[in-house]
Amino acid sequence: MKEGRGVKRIAHFFLVSVIFLIIAYMQPIIFPDDRAPKPLDIGSEVPDEKGQKFMQGKVSSTGLSQYIGQKAEAFVQNFGEPIEIQEVDNTSSWWIFGEDGSDYLQLLIEDKVIQSIFVLGTGIECDYFNIGMTLHEMSSVTTLYSNFSFQQSGKDYVVELTEKDMSTQPLVAFDNESFAILHIDGESEKVTGIRYLNTASLLSLMPYNLQEGELPESKNNESDVSEVSQRHLERQFFSLVNLIREREGKEIFVANGQLFLDSSELLTSFLDEKETYLEKEALEELALQRNIQTYRQPFYLTQKEIEKIAKENKISLDNTYGLAYTPTRDIPYMLMQWYGKLLPHLPLNQIEQGEIGVSFKDDFILLMLRESPSEETATSDEGK
């Protein structure tokens, strides 16, 4: 009998031990430790598996962003042939699609591969965004981040958006390593254009603060721009400005031959005698821009400075606004920056009727915009 009770005690002890071990192993699951590390929030300043410093949120690529990095033929199969191809340099060109404010877009093609897509058309599906959206509507679609990290050619880069950038050109990252710049009109505070681009194109433009990494050497040389490319720049600028005006229900600007001649004369005079027209600080700013050749620190002359050049050249600026600006190698981005940040200096939206003249030289543009008298004013003047 004693031997039987001993066996029972051993069995009981063994059973209790097993139950104790089960409870011990299950405790972290049933009673999780509140001190355990929490999952990283997207956007945290912590390296990910690829060594990126910022793990910014990425949106699924479902629309036009899918074509970045693809062969141009893939786009043509779905959207048809371009209506025009404009040469940029020996290896790249702009392919133009659409003819009005509802369907217009441009592809930047280099070595037959899509590097960038610029959208102005209100009827084009652009992933989760569209022309005319407000910042509030965008933030309801996705979180807008101020820091981004990415890799290009095996090198790490970190960029930071300022508060001004967040309100005029927020950046969105996609899960296929492409990006989109959402260009915001500085007056309406709505999306006026969308720019899809790969990391190489983003570095080429670099409109944001570069916190880490060195910019690749620019292949663009203002002295190498051909006369054909120069004419393409003029025509592309003129077309894009009027597409935006037409889309907004405004009368298009009319080309004025005399303004084209005047803008050419003023720009040539400025470039030949910069030391005469600019103070020391402005000359240093221009030298810095020429050195970095990005859109982070563009250089421009406003109305007061244009008036000084016009006075020296005996050119009248009655009812005429002027703006000189560099760099010019990317007309879509340049124009979007004007609408985002320079409208206080150039009333592109305010003038109801106007005439325009423009000149390009040495990576500079000089625009002259003259306000035309309204029909009522013209009739009143004739009556006098």
Side-chain angles (χ1 to χ4, degrees):
M1 295 293 291
K2 290 183 179 180
E3 185 177 348
R5 285 197 298 269
V7 172
K8 288 182 179 180
R9 287 177 180 173
I10 293 173
H12 180 71
F13 176 80
F14 179 78
L15 179 61
V16 170
S17 298
V18 170
I19 294 173
F20 177 81
L21 289 173
I22 292 174
I23 293 174
Y25 278 109
M26 290 293 291
Q27 186 179 10
I29 300 174
I30 300 173
F31 306 105
D33 187 355
D34 291 336
R35 296 170 298 175
K38 296 180 179 180
L40 294 175
D41 291 329
I42 293 178
S44 302
E45 190 175 343
V46 180
D48 68 358
E49 295 178 356
K50 296 181 180 180
Q52 291 181 315
K53 187 174 182 180
F54 290 96
M55 294 167 56
Q56 70 274 350
K58 294 183 179 181
V59 180
S60 298
S61 176
T62 61
L64 290 178
S65 58
Q66 297 179 93
Y67 290 98
I68 299 298
Q70 302 297 315
K71 292 286 187 180
E73 287 78 4
F75 190 90
V76 170
Q77 288 177 1
N78 291 322
F79 291 86
E81 296 289 337
I83 63 173
E84 184 181 358
I85 296 179
Q86 296 181 358
E87 168 194 338
V88 176
D89 53 40
N90 293 333
T91 61
S92 58
S93 57
W94 282 108
W95 290 23
I96 312 299
F97 295 81
E99 301 184 54
D100 57 42
S102 65
D103 63 353
Y104 187 90
L105 60 81
Q106 299 182 189
L107 305 186
L108 181 60
I109 307 296
E110 183 173 343
D111 296 328
K112 300 181 180 180
V113 175
I114 300 173
Q115 309 294 316
S116 181
I117 303 174
F118 174 59
V119 180
L120 277 183
T122 56
I124 298 175
E125 294 185 8
C126 301
D127 293 85
Y128 308 93
F129 314 100
N130 56 64
I131 305 298
M133 286 184 83
T134 64
L135 275 171
H136 176 72
E137 290 171 332
M138 283 187 289
S139 62
S140 67
V141 173
T142 183
T143 301
L144 297 176
Y145 295 95
S146 60
N147 294 89
F148 293 82
S149 70
F150 55 90
Q151 294 183 330
Q152 168 66 20
S153 300
K155 298 180 180 179
D156 296 325
Y157 293 89
V158 175
V159 299
E160 180 183 55
L161 279 65
T162 64
E163 185 176 345
K164 184 69 172 178
D165 291 330
M166 294 295 289
S167 63
T168 60
Q169 51 181 9
L171 186 67
V172 175
F174 292 94
D175 59 5
N176 67 341
E177 307 307 320
S178 67
F179 294 87
I181 301 175
L182 306 174
H183 295 288
I184 312 297
D185 185 289
E187 292 178 345
S188 69
E189 298 184 346
K190 295 180 179 180
V191 176
T192 190
I194 299 175
R195 181 68 175 267
Y196 295 94
L197 64 178
N198 59 13
T199 54
S201 297
L202 179 59
L203 287 171
S204 177
L205 294 176
M206 193 36 64
Y208 309 111
N209 290 328
L210 184 63
Q211 299 295 311
E212 290 186 20
E214 294 184 2
L215 291 174
E217 185 176 349
S218 174
K219 69 175 183 177
N220 296 286
N221 187 332
E222 58 267 18
S223 62
D224 293 338
V225 178
S226 67
E227 290 187 11
V228 173
S229 296
Q230 202 97 317
R231 289 196 296 271
H232 284 329
L233 292 176
E234 292 179 3
R235 192 150 53 86
Q236 187 178 127
F237 176 85
F238 194 71
S239 297
L240 292 179
V241 169
N242 277 336
L243 274 168
I244 295 173
R245 287 186 65 82
E246 184 180 39
R247 190 185 68 189
E248 302 301 323
K250 296 180 172 65
E251 290 194 30
I252 64 173
F253 291 135
V254 178
N256 181 298
Q258 186 59 50
L259 289 180
F260 271 85
L261 293 174
D262 289 345
S263 64
S264 178
E265 183 176 345
L266 292 180
L267 182 55
T268 299
S269 177
F270 166 70
L271 292 173
D272 289 345
E273 303 178 64
K274 292 188 288 290
E275 292 76 10
T276 301
Y277 296 120
L278 297 180
E279 301 291 338
K280 180 181 178 181
E281 183 178 353
L283 284 169
E284 291 174 351
E285 291 176 0
L286 176 57
L288 176 63
Q289 201 294 314
R290 293 294 208 185
N291 184 48
I292 61 175
Q293 293 190 338
T294 72
Y295 284 91
R296 177 68 253 172
Q297 292 180 290
F299 180 88
Y300 56 90
L301 304 177
T302 56
Q303 182 70 12
K304 184 177 180 180
E305 293 156 321
I306 297 295
E307 288 175 352
K308 180 180 179 181
I309 303 172
K311 184 177 180 180
E312 289 292 325
N313 289 272
K314 297 180 172 57
I315 293 177
S316 173
L317 291 183
D318 290 343
N319 297 319
T320 303
Y321 300 89
L323 181 72
Y325 182 100
T326 186
T328 65
R329 67 177 180 276
D330 193 293
I331 297 301
Y333 181 81
M334 182 194 77
L335 189 57
M336 289 295 96
Q337 190 171 71
W338 287 19
Y339 275 94
K341 299 181 179 181
L342 298 184
L343 288 179
H345 302 295
L346 190 68
L348 290 170
N349 288 340
Q350 302 301 322
I351 292 180
E352 294 297 328
Q353 297 177 342
E355 300 172 320
I356 197 172
V358 62
S359 179
F360 286 86
K361 186 176 182 179
D362 293 350
D363 202 26
F364 256 95
I365 177 178
L366 195 148
L367 169 71
M368 298 186 73
L369 175 59
R370 176 175 296 163
E371 188 169 12
S372 302
S374 63
E375 292 184 5
E376 292 182 3
T377 303
T379 303
S380 176
D381 290 341
E382 289 176 4
K384 295 179 181 178

